[in-house]
Amino acid sequence: MSMWWSLHLRREAASVPLARRFLLGTMETAGVDPDISYDLSVALSEACANAVEHGGRPDTGDTGDAGPGRTVDERPGQANEQYRVTAYLDGEKCRIEVADSGPGFPVRRTLRTAAHPSAGQPPEPYPPSGRSGSVACGVVPGEHPQALAESGRGLCLIEELADHVHFGNRPGRGAVVSFDKVLKWREGALLMVS
């Protein structure tokens, strides 16, 4: 058995713990090992926080309430005010994707594709703007974000907690962070029954 869900969330701080709790609840119900659930929930929180902070475009027009005869979904800039979280769980792994409508990731060189890089593979250049690729922390080789910095560690943390990470850009439509992790199950887990 497998399951998936998708949430469309407003780009506001309150959406981050909501997405995290939704994921944790799903994993607990399915019977995923708590340590794996925790790692994925922290990675999801970082990806959502990034979408909330960086996931919109400036000067998107009207941000007030919908006017007479219009629904909230018809407001100018509506897509800019939200982001999407999708999670897929199956018998082997969980894959999570967070997509926003911001400017995307800057062009940088790849340091690694995950916390566990393939041996002997050199870094690949980040593809031209608008194409997907791996950003991997977005820092200069050998350097890490400042330990006492207020921000800048989220992408690195996602890489450390997940088995595979992909940072990409959707042409004209924002950034996508996707990551997956091999699942471990508790005894009698729901998804392992079938």
Side-chain angles (χ1 to χ4, degrees), residues 9-21 48-49 52 83:
L9 300 165
R10 293 195 71 135
R11 282 186 48 242
E12 51 192 48
S15 68
V16 177
L18 176 68
R20 180 180 175 137
R21 287 185 201 125
C48 289
V52 167
Y83 64 101

Side-chain angles (χ1 to χ4, degrees), residues 107 119 121 136:
V107 175
Q121 285 200 338

Side-chain angles (χ1 to χ4, degrees), residues 47-48 50-51 54-55 83-86 88 95-106 126 130-136 155 158 164-179:
C48 289
N50 197 57
H54 305 289
Y83 64 101
R84 186 187 74 237
V85 176
T86 307
Y88 306 89
R95 179 173 186 82
I96 298 173
E97 179 178 287
V98 177
D100 65 45
S101 58
F105 292 103
Y126 188 77
R131 294 180 50 198
S132 63
S134 183
V135 173
L155 299 181
I158 293 169
H164 180 264
V165 180
H166 183 82
F167 303 104
N169 292 328
R170 301 179 303 157
R173 298 186 330 200
V176 178
V177 175
S178 61
F179 52 95

